[in-house]
Structures are given as structure tokens and as C-alpha cells.
Amino acid sequence: MNNLSGLGDIVIPGLFIALLRRFDQRVGDMQFIEKALGAAPKDKQKGPATQPKKTFRIYFYITVFAYMAGLFITMAVMHHFKRAQPALLYLVPVCLFVPLMFSVCRGEFSALWNYSEDHLVEKDDESSKKKKV
């Protein structure tokens, strides 16, 4: 029995996983900045200044493991039924629901759902306008 994974079985979840990596990085950086600004002393404190720690972001890693679990489920179903199965039938729900449910548990669902990369597009527009002038 041959197992053929199509390009879409790798690219579509891979794009989503890459987006979650960028979400982790962006939200982690934002939390670091907020903690740094919040940790700035308004009045002079005695002792050494403490640097805020960067929080560990985990959505990327959880979704990679969910992708691996989805591939395992696909192979198990293929082996059980001895028929080819569309891998995205198992990969998409696993790769979507695991990080969404995790975000609900962490109270970050709104941040994950509303995440966009418009801040990157605006910088590109400004830099292209400066180059034209």
C-alpha cells in the first residue's frame, strides 16, 4: 500500500502553522513590551533593575504536534479501511480545532481570531512611497 501525500496536504497546513508562528512572535513581543513598560519604575526603586521575562508562546508547537497527529490518524484510517483517504479531511480539523481550543483555555481566543498582519503591509506601503519620491 502506497501512501501519497499531495502538495496541498503539506502546503495548506504549513501556511497555517507559519501564520501561528508569526502570531506567537508578534503577541510574545507585544507582551514583552507591555511588561517592560509596566515594569518601568514611576518612582525610584532601590536595588537592581529587573528585566521582564519574555513569555513562552506555544501555538506553533502545539499545531505542529496536531499536524503530526492528523497525519497519524490519516495513516491509521488508510490502514484500517485499506483505501486511500483524503488527508485534509483529518488534517484541517485537527490543525484548526487544537489551537482554537487551546486559545479558549488560555483566554486568548479574541487575540488569535482577530490577528492580522496589516502592520506589515502598512510599513511596506510607506517604504515604497518613500522610494518613489
CSV table of all heavy atoms in Angstrom, one decimal, residues 42-104:
chain,number,residue,atom,x,y,z
A,42,LYS,N,8.0,54.2,38.3
A,42,LYS,CA,7.5,55.5,38.3
A,42,LYS,C,8.2,56.4,39.3
A,42,LYS,O,8.4,57.6,39.1
A,42,LYS,CB,6.0,55.6,38.5
A,42,LYS,CG,5.2,54.9,37.4
A,42,LYS,CD,3.7,55.0,37.6
A,42,LYS,CE,3.0,54.3,36.4
A,42,LYS,NZ,1.6,54.3,36.6
A,43,ASP,N,8.5,55.7,40.4
A,43,ASP,CA,9.4,56.4,41.4
A,43,ASP,C,10.7,55.6,41.5
A,43,ASP,O,10.7,54.4,41.1
A,43,ASP,CB,8.7,56.5,42.7
A,43,ASP,CG,8.2,55.2,43.2
A,43,ASP,OD1,8.2,54.2,42.4
A,43,ASP,OD2,7.9,55.1,44.4
A,44,LYS,N,11.7,56.1,42.0
A,44,LYS,CA,13.0,55.4,42.0
A,44,LYS,C,12.9,54.3,43.1
A,44,LYS,O,12.5,54.5,44.2
A,44,LYS,CB,14.1,56.4,42.4
A,44,LYS,CG,14.3,57.4,41.3
A,44,LYS,CD,15.4,58.3,41.7
A,44,LYS,CE,15.6,59.4,40.7
A,44,LYS,NZ,16.7,60.3,41.0
A,45,GLN,N,13.2,53.1,42.6
A,45,GLN,CA,13.2,51.9,43.4
A,45,GLN,C,14.7,51.6,43.8
A,45,GLN,O,15.6,51.9,43.1
A,45,GLN,CB,12.6,50.7,42.7
A,45,GLN,CG,11.2,50.8,42.4
A,45,GLN,CD,10.7,49.6,41.7
A,45,GLN,OE1,11.4,48.8,41.2
A,45,GLN,NE2,9.3,49.5,41.6
A,46,LYS,N,14.8,51.1,45.0
A,46,LYS,CA,16.1,50.7,45.4
A,46,LYS,C,16.4,49.3,44.9
A,46,LYS,O,15.6,48.5,44.7
A,46,LYS,CB,16.2,50.6,47.0
A,46,LYS,CG,16.1,52.0,47.6
A,46,LYS,CD,16.1,52.0,49.1
A,46,LYS,CE,15.9,53.4,49.6
A,46,LYS,NZ,15.9,53.3,51.1
A,47,GLY,N,17.7,49.0,44.6
A,47,GLY,CA,18.1,47.7,44.1
A,47,GLY,C,18.3,47.7,42.6
A,47,GLY,O,18.0,48.7,41.9
A,48,PRO,N,18.7,46.6,42.1
A,48,PRO,CA,19.0,46.5,40.6
A,48,PRO,C,17.6,46.5,39.8
A,48,PRO,O,16.6,46.0,40.3
A,48,PRO,CB,19.7,45.2,40.5
A,48,PRO,CG,19.3,44.4,41.7
A,48,PRO,CD,19.1,45.4,42.8
A,49,ALA,N,17.7,47.0,38.7
A,49,ALA,CA,16.5,47.0,37.8
A,49,ALA,C,16.3,45.5,37.3
A,49,ALA,O,17.3,44.8,37.0
A,49,ALA,CB,16.7,47.9,36.6
A,50,THR,N,15.1,45.1,37.2
A,50,THR,CA,14.8,43.8,36.8
A,50,THR,C,14.2,43.9,35.4
A,50,THR,O,13.4,44.7,35.0
A,50,THR,CB,13.7,43.1,37.7
A,50,THR,OG1,12.6,43.9,37.7
A,50,THR,CG2,14.3,42.9,39.1
A,51,GLN,N,14.7,43.0,34.5
A,51,GLN,CA,14.2,42.9,33.1
A,51,GLN,C,13.0,41.9,33.1
A,51,GLN,O,13.1,40.9,33.7
A,51,GLN,CB,15.3,42.4,32.2
A,51,GLN,CG,16.5,43.4,32.0
A,51,GLN,CD,16.0,44.6,31.2
A,51,GLN,OE1,15.1,44.5,30.4
A,51,GLN,NE2,16.7,45.7,31.5
A,52,PRO,N,12.0,42.3,32.4
A,52,PRO,CA,10.8,41.4,32.3
A,52,PRO,C,11.2,40.2,31.4
A,52,PRO,O,12.0,40.3,30.5
A,52,PRO,CB,9.8,42.2,31.6
A,52,PRO,CG,10.5,43.3,30.9
A,52,PRO,CD,11.7,43.6,31.7
A,53,LYS,N,10.7,39.0,31.8
A,53,LYS,CA,11.0,37.8,31.0
A,53,LYS,C,10.0,37.7,29.9
A,53,LYS,O,8.8,38.1,30.0
A,53,LYS,CB,10.9,36.6,31.9
A,53,LYS,CG,11.9,36.5,32.9
A,53,LYS,CD,11.8,35.2,33.7
A,53,LYS,CE,12.9,35.1,34.7
A,53,LYS,NZ,12.8,33.9,35.5
A,54,LYS,N,10.5,37.2,28.8
A,54,LYS,CA,9.6,37.0,27.6
A,54,LYS,C,8.8,35.8,27.8
A,54,LYS,O,9.3,34.7,28.2
A,54,LYS,CB,10.5,36.8,26.4
A,54,LYS,CG,9.8,37.1,25.1
A,54,LYS,CD,10.8,37.2,24.0
A,54,LYS,CE,10.1,37.8,22.8
A,54,LYS,NZ,11.0,38.0,21.7
A,55,THR,N,7.5,35.9,27.6
A,55,THR,CA,6.6,34.7,27.9
A,55,THR,C,6.8,33.7,26.7
A,55,THR,O,7.0,34.0,25.6
A,55,THR,CB,5.1,35.2,27.9
A,55,THR,OG1,4.8,35.8,26.7
A,55,THR,CG2,4.9,36.1,29.1
A,56,PHE,N,6.6,32.5,27.1
A,56,PHE,CA,6.8,31.4,26.1
A,56,PHE,C,5.5,31.2,25.4
A,56,PHE,O,4.4,31.0,25.9
A,56,PHE,CB,7.1,30.1,26.9
A,56,PHE,CG,7.4,28.9,25.9
A,56,PHE,CD1,8.5,28.9,25.1
A,56,PHE,CD2,6.5,27.9,25.9
A,56,PHE,CE1,8.7,27.8,24.3
A,56,PHE,CE2,6.7,26.8,25.0
A,56,PHE,CZ,7.8,26.8,24.2
A,57,ARG,N,5.6,31.3,24.1
A,57,ARG,CA,4.4,31.2,23.2
A,57,ARG,C,4.4,29.8,22.6
A,57,ARG,O,5.4,29.3,22.2
A,57,ARG,CB,4.5,32.2,22.1
A,57,ARG,CG,4.6,33.6,22.6
A,57,ARG,CD,3.5,34.1,23.4
A,57,ARG,NE,2.2,34.0,22.7
A,57,ARG,CZ,1.1,34.0,23.3
A,57,ARG,NH1,0.9,34.3,24.6
A,57,ARG,NH2,0.0,33.9,22.6
A,58,ILE,N,3.3,29.1,22.6
A,58,ILE,CA,3.3,27.7,22.3
A,58,ILE,C,2.3,27.3,21.2
A,58,ILE,O,2.3,26.1,20.8
A,58,ILE,CB,2.9,27.0,23.6
A,58,ILE,CG1,3.2,25.5,23.5
A,58,ILE,CG2,1.4,27.2,24.0
A,58,ILE,CD1,3.2,24.8,24.9
A,59,TYR,N,1.6,28.2,20.5
A,59,TYR,CA,0.7,27.8,19.5
A,59,TYR,C,1.4,27.1,18.3
A,59,TYR,O,0.8,26.1,17.8
A,59,TYR,CB,-0.1,29.0,19.0
A,59,TYR,CG,-1.1,29.6,20.0
A,59,TYR,CD1,-0.7,30.6,20.8
A,59,TYR,CD2,-2.3,28.9,20.2
A,59,TYR,CE1,-1.6,31.1,21.7
A,59,TYR,CE2,-3.2,29.4,21.1
A,59,TYR,CZ,-2.8,30.5,21.9
A,59,TYR,OH,-3.7,30.9,22.8
A,60,PHE,N,2.5,27.5,17.9
A,60,PHE,CA,3.3,26.9,16.8
A,60,PHE,C,3.6,25.5,17.2
A,60,PHE,O,3.3,24.6,16.4
A,60,PHE,CB,4.6,27.7,16.6
A,60,PHE,CG,5.5,27.0,15.7
A,60,PHE,CD1,5.3,27.0,14.3
A,60,PHE,CD2,6.7,26.4,16.1
A,60,PHE,CE1,6.1,26.3,13.4
A,60,PHE,CE2,7.5,25.7,15.3
A,60,PHE,CZ,7.3,25.7,13.9
A,61,TYR,N,4.1,25.2,18.3
A,61,TYR,CA,4.5,23.8,18.7
A,61,TYR,C,3.3,22.9,18.8
A,61,TYR,O,3.3,21.8,18.4
A,61,TYR,CB,5.3,23.9,20.0
A,61,TYR,CG,6.6,24.7,19.9
A,61,TYR,CD1,6.7,25.9,20.5
A,61,TYR,CD2,7.6,24.2,19.1
A,61,TYR,CE1,7.8,26.6,20.4
A,61,TYR,CE2,8.8,24.9,18.9
A,61,TYR,CZ,8.9,26.1,19.6
A,61,TYR,OH,10.0,26.9,19.4
A,62,ILE,N,2.2,23.4,19.4
A,62,ILE,CA,1.0,22.6,19.6
A,62,ILE,C,0.4,22.2,18.2
A,62,ILE,O,0.0,21.1,18.0
A,62,ILE,CB,0.0,23.4,20.4
A,62,ILE,CG1,0.4,23.4,21.9
A,62,ILE,CG2,-1.4,22.8,20.2
A,62,ILE,CD1,-0.6,24.1,22.8
A,63,THR,N,0.4,23.2,17.3
A,63,THR,CA,-0.1,22.9,16.0
A,63,THR,C,0.8,22.0,15.2
A,63,THR,O,0.3,21.1,14.4
A,63,THR,CB,-0.4,24.2,15.2
A,63,THR,OG1,-1.1,25.1,16.1
A,63,THR,CG2,-1.2,24.0,14.0
A,64,VAL,N,2.1,22.0,15.4
A,64,VAL,CA,3.0,21.0,14.7
A,64,VAL,C,2.7,19.6,15.2
A,64,VAL,O,2.5,18.7,14.4
A,64,VAL,CB,4.5,21.4,14.9
A,64,VAL,CG1,5.4,20.3,14.5
A,64,VAL,CG2,4.8,22.7,14.1
A,65,PHE,N,2.5,19.5,16.5
A,65,PHE,CA,2.1,18.2,17.0
A,65,PHE,C,0.7,17.7,16.6
A,65,PHE,O,0.5,16.6,16.3
A,65,PHE,CB,2.3,18.2,18.6
A,65,PHE,CG,3.7,18.1,19.0
A,65,PHE,CD1,4.2,19.2,19.7
A,65,PHE,CD2,4.5,17.1,18.7
A,65,PHE,CE1,5.5,19.2,20.2
A,65,PHE,CE2,5.8,17.0,19.2
A,65,PHE,CZ,6.3,18.1,19.9
A,66,ALA,N,-0.2,18.7,16.5
A,66,ALA,CA,-1.5,18.4,16.0
A,66,ALA,C,-1.5,17.9,14.5
A,66,ALA,O,-2.2,17.0,14.1
A,66,ALA,CB,-2.4,19.6,16.1
A,67,TYR,N,-0.6,18.5,13.7
A,67,TYR,CA,-0.4,18.1,12.3
A,67,TYR,C,0.1,16.7,12.3
A,67,TYR,O,-0.3,15.9,11.5
A,67,TYR,CB,0.5,19.1,11.6
A,67,TYR,CG,0.8,18.7,10.2
A,67,TYR,CD1,-0.1,18.9,9.2
A,67,TYR,CD2,2.1,18.2,9.9
A,67,TYR,CE1,0.2,18.6,7.9
A,67,TYR,CE2,2.4,17.9,8.6
A,67,TYR,CZ,1.4,18.1,7.6
A,67,TYR,OH,1.7,17.7,6.3
A,68,MET,N,1.1,16.4,13.1
A,68,MET,CA,1.6,15.0,13.2
A,68,MET,C,0.6,14.1,13.6
A,68,MET,O,0.5,13.0,13.0
A,68,MET,CB,2.8,15.0,14.1
A,68,MET,CG,4.0,15.7,13.6
A,68,MET,SD,5.6,15.5,14.5
A,68,MET,CE,5.1,15.9,16.1
A,69,ALA,N,-0.3,14.4,14.6
A,69,ALA,CA,-1.4,13.5,15.0
A,69,ALA,C,-2.4,13.4,13.8
A,69,ALA,O,-2.9,12.2,13.6
A,69,ALA,CB,-2.1,14.1,16.2
A,70,GLY,N,-2.6,14.4,13.1
A,70,GLY,CA,-3.6,14.3,11.9
A,70,GLY,C,-3.0,13.4,10.9
A,70,GLY,O,-3.8,12.6,10.3
A,71,LEU,N,-1.7,13.4,10.6
A,71,LEU,CA,-1.1,12.5,9.7
A,71,LEU,C,-1.2,11.1,10.2
A,71,LEU,O,-1.4,10.1,9.4
A,71,LEU,CB,0.4,12.9,9.4
A,71,LEU,CG,0.6,14.1,8.5
A,71,LEU,CD1,2.1,14.4,8.5
A,71,LEU,CD2,0.1,13.8,7.1
A,72,PHE,N,-1.0,10.9,11.5
A,72,PHE,CA,-1.1,9.6,12.0
A,72,PHE,C,-2.5,9.0,11.9
A,72,PHE,O,-2.7,7.9,11.6
A,72,PHE,CB,-0.6,9.6,13.5
A,72,PHE,CG,-0.7,8.3,14.2
A,72,PHE,CD1,0.2,7.2,13.9
A,72,PHE,CD2,-1.8,8.0,15.1
A,72,PHE,CE1,0.0,6.0,14.5
A,72,PHE,CE2,-1.9,6.8,15.7
A,72,PHE,CZ,-1.0,5.8,15.4
A,73,ILE,N,-3.5,9.9,12.2
A,73,ILE,CA,-4.9,9.5,12.1
A,73,ILE,C,-5.2,9.1,10.6
A,73,ILE,O,-5.8,8.1,10.4
A,73,ILE,CB,-5.8,10.6,12.6
A,73,ILE,CG1,-5.7,10.8,14.1
A,73,ILE,CG2,-7.3,10.3,12.2
A,73,ILE,CD1,-6.3,12.0,14.6
A,74,THR,N,-4.7,9.9,9.7
A,74,THR,CA,-4.9,9.6,8.3
A,74,THR,C,-4.3,8.2,7.9
A,74,THR,O,-5.0,7.4,7.3
A,74,THR,CB,-4.3,10.7,7.4
A,74,THR,OG1,-4.8,11.9,7.7
A,74,THR,CG2,-4.5,10.4,5.9
A,75,MET,N,-3.1,8.0,8.3
A,75,MET,CA,-2.5,6.7,8.0
A,75,MET,C,-3.2,5.5,8.7
A,75,MET,O,-3.3,4.4,8.1
A,75,MET,CB,-1.0,6.7,8.4
A,75,MET,CG,-0.2,7.6,7.5
A,75,MET,SD,1.5,7.4,7.9
A,75,MET,CE,2.1,9.1,7.7
A,76,ALA,N,-3.6,5.7,9.9
A,76,ALA,CA,-4.4,4.7,10.6
A,76,ALA,C,-5.7,4.3,9.9
A,76,ALA,O,-6.0,3.2,9.8
A,76,ALA,CB,-4.6,5.1,12.1
A,77,VAL,N,-6.4,5.4,9.5
A,77,VAL,CA,-7.7,5.1,8.8
A,77,VAL,C,-7.4,4.4,7.4
A,77,VAL,O,-8.1,3.5,7.0
A,77,VAL,CB,-8.4,6.4,8.6
A,77,VAL,CG1,-9.6,6.3,7.7
A,77,VAL,CG2,-8.9,7.0,10.0
A,78,MET,N,-6.3,4.9,6.8
A,78,MET,CA,-6.0,4.2,5.5
A,78,MET,C,-5.6,2.8,5.7
A,78,MET,O,-6.0,1.9,4.9
A,78,MET,CB,-4.8,5.0,4.8
A,78,MET,CG,-5.1,6.3,4.2
A,78,MET,SD,-3.7,7.2,3.6
A,78,MET,CE,-2.9,6.0,2.6
A,79,HIS,N,-4.9,2.5,6.7
A,79,HIS,CA,-4.5,1.1,7.0
A,79,HIS,C,-5.7,0.3,7.4
A,79,HIS,O,-5.9,-0.9,7.0
A,79,HIS,CB,-3.5,1.1,8.1
A,79,HIS,CG,-3.0,-0.3,8.5
A,79,HIS,ND1,-2.3,-1.1,7.7
A,79,HIS,CD2,-3.2,-1.0,9.6
A,79,HIS,CE1,-2.0,-2.2,8.2
A,79,HIS,NE2,-2.6,-2.2,9.4
A,80,HIS,N,-6.6,0.8,8.2
A,80,HIS,CA,-7.8,0.1,8.7
A,80,HIS,C,-8.8,-0.2,7.5
A,80,HIS,O,-9.2,-1.4,7.4
A,80,HIS,CB,-8.5,0.9,9.8
A,80,HIS,CG,-9.8,0.3,10.2
A,80,HIS,ND1,-9.8,-0.9,11.1
A,80,HIS,CD2,-11.1,0.5,10.0
A,80,HIS,CE1,-11.0,-1.2,11.3
A,80,HIS,NE2,-11.8,-0.4,10.7
A,81,PHE,N,-9.1,0.8,6.7
A,81,PHE,CA,-10.0,0.5,5.6
A,81,PHE,C,-9.4,0.1,4.3
A,81,PHE,O,-10.1,-0.3,3.4
A,81,PHE,CB,-10.8,1.8,5.3
A,81,PHE,CG,-11.8,2.2,6.4
A,81,PHE,CD1,-11.5,3.3,7.2
A,81,PHE,CD2,-12.9,1.4,6.6
A,81,PHE,CE1,-12.4,3.6,8.2
A,81,PHE,CE2,-13.8,1.8,7.6
A,81,PHE,CZ,-13.5,2.9,8.4
A,82,LYS,N,-8.1,0.0,4.3
A,82,LYS,CA,-7.3,-0.4,3.1
A,82,LYS,C,-7.7,0.4,1.8
A,82,LYS,O,-7.8,-0.2,0.7
A,82,LYS,CB,-7.5,-1.9,2.9
A,82,LYS,CG,-7.2,-2.7,4.1
A,82,LYS,CD,-6.1,-3.7,3.9
A,82,LYS,CE,-5.9,-4.7,5.0
A,82,LYS,NZ,-5.3,-4.1,6.2
A,83,ARG,N,-8.0,1.6,2.0
A,83,ARG,CA,-8.4,2.5,0.9
A,83,ARG,C,-7.7,3.9,1.2
A,83,ARG,O,-7.4,4.3,2.3
A,83,ARG,CB,-9.9,2.8,0.9
A,83,ARG,CG,-10.7,1.6,0.7
A,83,ARG,CD,-11.0,1.4,-0.7
A,83,ARG,NE,-11.9,0.3,-0.9
A,83,ARG,CZ,-11.7,-0.7,-1.8
A,83,ARG,NH1,-10.7,-0.7,-2.6
A,83,ARG,NH2,-12.5,-1.7,-1.8
A,84,ALA,N,-7.5,4.6,0.1
A,84,ALA,CA,-6.9,5.9,0.2
A,84,ALA,C,-7.9,6.9,0.8
A,84,ALA,O,-9.1,6.8,0.6
A,84,ALA,CB,-6.5,6.4,-1.2
A,85,GLN,N,-7.4,7.8,1.6
A,85,GLN,CA,-8.2,8.8,2.3
A,85,GLN,C,-7.7,10.1,2.0
A,85,GLN,O,-6.5,10.3,1.9
A,85,GLN,CB,-8.1,8.5,3.8
A,85,GLN,CG,-8.7,7.2,4.3
A,85,GLN,CD,-10.2,7.1,4.2
A,85,GLN,OE1,-10.9,8.1,4.4
A,85,GLN,NE2,-10.7,6.0,3.7
A,86,PRO,N,-8.6,11.1,1.9
A,86,PRO,CA,-8.1,12.5,1.7
A,86,PRO,C,-7.5,13.0,3.0
A,86,PRO,O,-8.2,13.1,4.0
A,86,PRO,CB,-9.3,13.3,1.3
A,86,PRO,CG,-10.5,12.5,1.8
A,86,PRO,CD,-10.0,11.0,1.8
A,87,ALA,N,-6.2,13.3,3.0
A,87,ALA,CA,-5.5,13.7,4.3
A,87,ALA,C,-6.1,14.9,4.8
A,87,ALA,O,-6.1,15.1,6.1
A,87,ALA,CB,-4.0,13.8,4.0
A,88,LEU,N,-6.5,15.9,4.0
A,88,LEU,CA,-7.0,17.1,4.5
A,88,LEU,C,-8.3,16.9,5.3
A,88,LEU,O,-8.7,17.8,6.1
A,88,LEU,CB,-7.2,18.2,3.4
A,88,LEU,CG,-5.9,18.8,2.8
A,88,LEU,CD1,-6.2,19.7,1.7
A,88,LEU,CD2,-5.1,19.5,3.9
A,89,LEU,N,-9.0,15.8,5.1
A,89,LEU,CA,-10.2,15.5,5.8
A,89,LEU,C,-9.9,15.4,7.3
A,89,LEU,O,-10.7,15.7,8.2
A,89,LEU,CB,-10.8,14.2,5.3
A,89,LEU,CG,-12.1,13.7,6.0
A,89,LEU,CD1,-13.2,14.7,5.7
A,89,LEU,CD2,-12.4,12.4,5.5
A,90,TYR,N,-8.7,15.0,7.6
A,90,TYR,CA,-8.3,14.8,9.0
A,90,TYR,C,-7.3,15.9,9.5
A,90,TYR,O,-7.3,16.3,10.6
A,90,TYR,CB,-7.6,13.4,9.2
A,90,TYR,CG,-8.4,12.3,8.7
A,90,TYR,CD1,-8.2,11.7,7.5
A,90,TYR,CD2,-9.5,11.8,9.5
A,90,TYR,CE1,-9.1,10.7,7.0
A,90,TYR,CE2,-10.3,10.8,9.1
A,90,TYR,CZ,-10.1,10.3,7.8
A,90,TYR,OH,-10.9,9.2,7.4
A,91,LEU,N,-6.5,16.4,8.6
A,91,LEU,CA,-5.5,17.5,8.9
A,91,LEU,C,-6.2,18.8,9.3
A,91,LEU,O,-5.8,19.5,10.2
A,91,LEU,CB,-4.5,17.6,7.8
A,91,LEU,CG,-3.6,16.5,7.6
A,91,LEU,CD1,-2.7,16.8,6.4
A,91,LEU,CD2,-2.7,16.2,8.8
A,92,VAL,N,-7.1,19.2,8.5
A,92,VAL,CA,-7.7,20.5,8.7
A,92,VAL,C,-8.4,20.7,10.0
A,92,VAL,O,-8.2,21.6,10.8
A,92,VAL,CB,-8.6,20.9,7.5
A,92,VAL,CG1,-9.4,22.2,7.8
A,92,VAL,CG2,-7.8,21.1,6.2
A,93,PRO,N,-9.3,19.7,10.4
A,93,PRO,CA,-10.0,19.9,11.7
A,93,PRO,C,-9.0,19.8,12.8
A,93,PRO,O,-9.1,20.6,13.8
A,93,PRO,CB,-11.0,18.7,11.7
A,93,PRO,CG,-11.2,18.3,10.4
A,93,PRO,CD,-9.9,18.6,9.6
A,94,VAL,N,-8.0,18.9,12.8
A,94,VAL,CA,-7.1,18.8,13.9
A,94,VAL,C,-6.2,20.1,14.0
A,94,VAL,O,-6.0,20.6,15.1
A,94,VAL,CB,-6.2,17.6,13.7
A,94,VAL,CG1,-5.0,17.6,14.6
A,94,VAL,CG2,-7.0,16.3,13.8
A,95,CYS,N,-5.7,20.6,12.8
A,95,CYS,CA,-4.9,21.8,12.9
A,95,CYS,C,-5.7,23.0,13.2
A,95,CYS,O,-5.1,24.0,13.7
A,95,CYS,CB,-4.2,22.0,11.5
A,95,CYS,SG,-2.9,20.8,11.2
A,96,LEU,N,-7.0,23.1,13.0
A,96,LEU,CA,-7.7,24.2,13.3
A,96,LEU,C,-8.3,24.2,14.8
A,96,LEU,O,-8.1,25.2,15.5
A,96,LEU,CB,-8.9,24.4,12.4
A,96,LEU,CG,-8.7,25.0,11.0
A,96,LEU,CD1,-9.9,25.0,10.2
A,96,LEU,CD2,-8.1,26.3,11.1
A,97,PHE,N,-8.8,23.1,15.2
A,97,PHE,CA,-9.5,23.0,16.5
A,97,PHE,C,-8.6,22.9,17.6
A,97,PHE,O,-8.9,23.5,18.7
A,97,PHE,CB,-10.5,21.8,16.5
A,97,PHE,CG,-11.7,22.0,15.6
A,97,PHE,CD1,-12.1,21.0,14.8
A,97,PHE,CD2,-12.3,23.2,15.5
A,97,PHE,CE1,-13.2,21.2,13.9
A,97,PHE,CE2,-13.4,23.4,14.7
A,97,PHE,CZ,-13.8,22.4,13.9
A,98,VAL,N,-7.4,22.3,17.5
A,98,VAL,CA,-6.5,22.2,18.6
A,98,VAL,C,-6.0,23.6,19.0
A,98,VAL,O,-6.1,24.0,20.2
A,98,VAL,CB,-5.3,21.3,18.3
A,98,VAL,CG1,-4.2,21.4,19.3
A,98,VAL,CG2,-5.8,19.8,18.2
A,99,PRO,N,-5.5,24.5,18.1
A,99,PRO,CA,-5.0,25.8,18.6
A,99,PRO,C,-6.2,26.7,19.0
A,99,PRO,O,-6.1,27.5,20.0
A,99,PRO,CB,-4.3,26.4,17.4
A,99,PRO,CG,-4.6,25.6,16.3
A,99,PRO,CD,-5.0,24.2,16.7
A,100,LEU,N,-7.4,26.5,18.4
A,100,LEU,CA,-8.5,27.3,18.8
A,100,LEU,C,-9.0,26.9,20.2
A,100,LEU,O,-9.3,27.8,21.0
A,100,LEU,CB,-9.7,27.2,17.8
A,100,LEU,CG,-9.5,27.9,16.5
A,100,LEU,CD1,-10.7,27.6,15.5
A,100,LEU,CD2,-9.3,29.3,16.6
A,101,MET,N,-9.1,25.6,20.5
A,101,MET,CA,-9.5,25.2,21.8
A,101,MET,C,-8.4,25.6,22.9
A,101,MET,O,-8.8,26.0,24.0
A,101,MET,CB,-9.7,23.7,21.9
A,101,MET,CG,-10.9,23.2,21.1
A,101,MET,SD,-12.4,24.0,21.8
A,101,MET,CE,-13.1,24.6,20.3
A,102,PHE,N,-7.2,25.5,22.5
A,102,PHE,CA,-6.1,25.9,23.4
A,102,PHE,C,-6.2,27.4,23.7
A,102,PHE,O,-6.0,27.9,24.8
A,102,PHE,CB,-4.7,25.6,22.8
A,102,PHE,CG,-3.6,25.8,23.7
A,102,PHE,CD1,-3.4,24.9,24.8
A,102,PHE,CD2,-2.7,26.8,23.6
A,102,PHE,CE1,-2.3,25.1,25.7
A,102,PHE,CE2,-1.7,27.0,24.5
A,102,PHE,CZ,-1.5,26.1,25.5
A,103,SER,N,-6.5,28.2,22.7
A,103,SER,CA,-6.7,29.7,22.9
A,103,SER,C,-7.9,30.0,23.8
A,103,SER,O,-7.8,30.9,24.6
A,103,SER,CB,-6.8,30.4,21.6
A,103,SER,OG,-8.0,30.1,21.0
A,104,VAL,N,-8.9,29.2,23.7
A,104,VAL,CA,-10.1,29.4,24.6
A,104,VAL,C,-9.7,29.1,26.0
A,104,VAL,O,-10.0,29.9,27.0
A,104,VAL,CB,-11.2,28.5,24.2
A,104,VAL,CG1,-12.3,28.4,25.2
A,104,VAL,CG2,-11.8,29.0,22.8
